[in-house]
Amino acid sequence: MKTLHPFLAVMLLAVPAPGEEPRLYNPYDRPKNGPPLTNVFHKAQPLWLWDKLKQPKHHPSARMPDFKFSDEEAMDALAYLKSIADPSFPKQEWPPWTAKTEDTMNDEELTEMMNLTDMGKAVWGNARCTVCHKANGPGGTIIGGFVDLRVGGIDLQIAQAKLERDWLYSWVKEPKSYFLDTLMPRYRLSDSEARALVEFLLRDEAFRPTTEPKPEAPGRWKALDDPSRISRGKRLIELSRCVVCHDIKGILELLSFPPRPAPPSENTVSWLFYDVRCLSCHSIEGRGGTYAPDLTSEGSRLKASWIHDFLIQPDLIRPLSQQMPKFNLSPEEAKTVADYVQQFRRDPRVPTSVPPGEAEKGRALFQSKGCVACHTTGEGPGGGVGPTLDFVADRLEPGYLFHRLKHPHAVNPFSAEPDYGLSDEEAAALSAYLLGKKK
Amino acid sequence: MPLFPLFVPSVLFVLSVLFPGPSQAETLDLGRAIYMQRCFWCHGETGHGDGPSAVGMFPRPRDFVAADYKIRSTPHGHLPTDEDLLRVISRGIPGTPMPAWVKILSQEEHHALVAYLKSLSPRFAAEKPQPLPVPDGPANPEAGKEVYRKARCFLCHGEAGRGDGELTATLNFEWGIPHSARDFTRGWTFKGGHEPHDIYLRITGGLNGTPMGPYADILTDQERWDLAHYVASLDLEPSATTEDFLVTAALIEGNLPETHDGPAWQKARMLTVPLAGQIVQSPPLRWWTPSAGACNVRALHNGHDIAFLVEWDDPTGKPEPLPDSAFLQFPAQEGSKPYFLFGDSDNPVKLWHWQAGNTAEEWTATGSANTEVRPAIFQVYPSYKEGRWRVLFRRSLSGEPSFEAGKFLPVLFSVRDGANGESGNVRATSTWLYVTVERPRSFRPWLLALAYMLGAGVVELWVLAKLKS
């Protein structure tokens, strides 16, 4: 597989012949990086849009050029965008209290709201939204580190100054229905989980702008419906060639793209990668993101059973901010992915079996070589520098364990692990010892 | 000979009956045979632009099946005419791997290729491309300048037309999408020709499949005609011919300027020095596509110090992925003229080397592989604005090498555009030129003249006194 330039790449999602390696969707191979603007008025509030047009760099993670629009021009462009918004954009029924502020709710409504936002907070946590998105912490600090530009996470501090409730619901539930090429995974949230998350995002102070917005002149946005403004706005959007990065209804398309293939059929590994957008963060053979481990040869390293369990319940193997989100995969789906990794993601240098060795000799070597200084094995004291090996046999493929003991730096050139120059016999003995470390 | 006009067509008619031209099938066969020999490498066996050599090319070789052609005399989204295709095959596309075939293929072969390319897309059978009319009335480039602003061309092509607009920079650097808007100061890089007529057609119909869209419905015919003349007027007029090899440091009084726009620079003659890619030595690679095609050089001295001002266009002043850099090269030994690429083992060179981020170093080299770096004994004052680097190098006249009036010292200029992947020997370079400094005006002749006048006066007085007595 070659690395394709995102712009040139065709999304190769054709169904592979049996036994052939499936083509995996790479969300970076997309024709346009900007979200579609046709329905942007259903997504965001006019003031926020106006600000975005006037000061694109206001927003630290934004990567839109500054078009230097005058106030009038920004209004014209907005007028056109408003005029093309689809009136049949999906709307939800919301309980009447959702339109109220907290101080005008009665006790019952307040309790309902609090319960819902609590549940939303749990969804937010499980989905690890903070890996990509920024928010104000309870004390005004930022949870979850930085917004990584390439992930394109939207700075959620402005959620409440920006987003419309109906849009937010459809976005967290089915991101692709709004922006087909988004990097955001689909979490398979239930209706109530999605509602809870929406309430949390629209109520919690973590998502409130830190500065009070200036009060708006009443009727300011009425001017957007002026037909002459709309036609001026269309011309301006044409001239600014916004269609190079955004889909906009009614504006001449300039770039040519290969026709979009149909999405892969459901319940295949191709479909799961398409749906969950694994390659937004992971990479395989140079394609994909750089935020999570490379999966190119994980099949030689990890046991299929461990991959399966990890996908269902991503464990605490990393600090919170770097944990893999829970995507609510079914056991069958987890198996499909684990099987794919086992079958295709292999490193031919890693042996598939271990020469026989004596576990007792391995135990002695573990002490005498000093491994114990960095690793624990669940037998007596050990160091905390290297990963714990208490249940290493559940996680790692035996062949990989042997290979890694023999060539620690071939596997990871930056590993702190010393190369002891172990003989085959010694490595086999250590492997035999460690392969007894199971739950 | 009034019968001649009738005579020629009738002879042609008789000839064409006697020797009929190739049939359509024969033409296609010929076209296909040439295609498979010459074009397939890039454009691919089936014409999808995916030949074995196309890997990593941007822009991609044209996909003849999709038939989204850039260089057309027709409206946006339309097919090109036969003449358009003949012309582009014959001239090639500057700045891209697409070669010019005019000297390699005959006219007949050109026509056969056009027929074959057209057969690759069903669109040609269904559509009849019609050329757009081009105005031939007077044009006003000044009015065109205003259209340039109004139509927001600067977004991509930059305020000064150097291809450094903000939208281009965002596409290139934020998103890694290498659609670069044309630098209008480099007329020779235009893909479809640099005459106002060509530019008019590009503006009117756009370049299919690129961010360069059509302006047919946005601007009037006259506006586009004015605009085409304005764009054509931005081409760098070389101020000197390429036969001019001498940089003369003009003499000024007082301090040498430390800025790039002081009035003192008006005293220095500007020399436009052509630069070419370094294509002699590889590894790392022969460099056919340098970003700079020329640099402007001026020099001043004040009897103590000498200053060189080197200016060149670079659409990207950003430090990523590699820093931009430039150097002046001199022979390290008096009276020698070393090999122009970093000298040779017998004839070392000295380099005044500057790298963006303001590092200045003096390099000594005896060939590309043998360089030694020392702290600079010269100063640099760089600036980057509107797509142009201006770097001022200043040093004392004495030193190694020393600059003296009447002496012609070899000098060479070289620049690298990091954003274009240039570093080390991957660079644009001039050949050896010469530098000399203007002779200081000496006061001796004046003193002599004064002494002579005084002497003559004294003699005269003496004679007068003698006469009186």
Side-chain angles (χ1 to χ4, degrees), chain A residues 2 5-8 30-31 33-34 57 62-69 73 149 235-236 238-241 244-245 252-256, chain B residues 55 57-58 60 68 76 150-152 154-156 166-167 170-171 174-179 207-215 217-218:
Chain A
K2 271 188 266 47
H5 188 278
F7 207 75
L8 312 171
R30 53 184 177 179
N33 289 305
K57 307 285 179 204
R63 291 199 284 165
M64 175 162 122
D66 187 348
F67 289 89
K68 308 204 172 65
F69 291 132
E73 286 173 330
L149 297 185
R235 177 53 33 101
L236 186 68
E238 247 164 17
L239 279 177
S240 308
R241 302 298 187 204
V244 171
C245 293
L252 176 76
E253 190 56 70
L254 295 178
L255 307 183
S256 37
Chain B
V55 177
M57 266 185 205
F58 194 96
R60 301 266 304 196
D68 253 331
H76 190 252
K150 184 180 100 176
R152 307 174 79 82
F154 60 84
L155 279 180
C156 297
E166 190 161 350
L167 220 155
T170 304
L171 281 181
E174 301 277 0
W175 298 108
I177 301 174
H179 272 304
L207 281 79
N208 290 349
T210 76
M212 176 65 204
Y215 290 85
D217 298 338
I218 298 178

Side-chain angles (χ1 to χ4, degrees), chain B residues 143-158:
Chain B
K145 185 173 184 175
E146 180 50 27
V147 181
Y148 187 82
R149 197 197 54 75
K150 184 180 100 176
R152 307 174 79 82
C153 309
F154 60 84
L155 279 180
C156 297
H157 292 280

Side-chain angles (χ1 to χ4, degrees), chain A residues 219-240:
Chain A
R220 174 174 180 192
W221 307 113
K222 281 231 170 64
L224 296 183
D225 299 323
D226 172 0
S228 66
R229 214 180 250 294
I230 294 175
S231 62
R232 281 204 304 275
K234 180 174 186 191
R235 177 53 33 101
L236 186 68
I237 287 175
E238 247 164 17
L239 279 177
S240 308

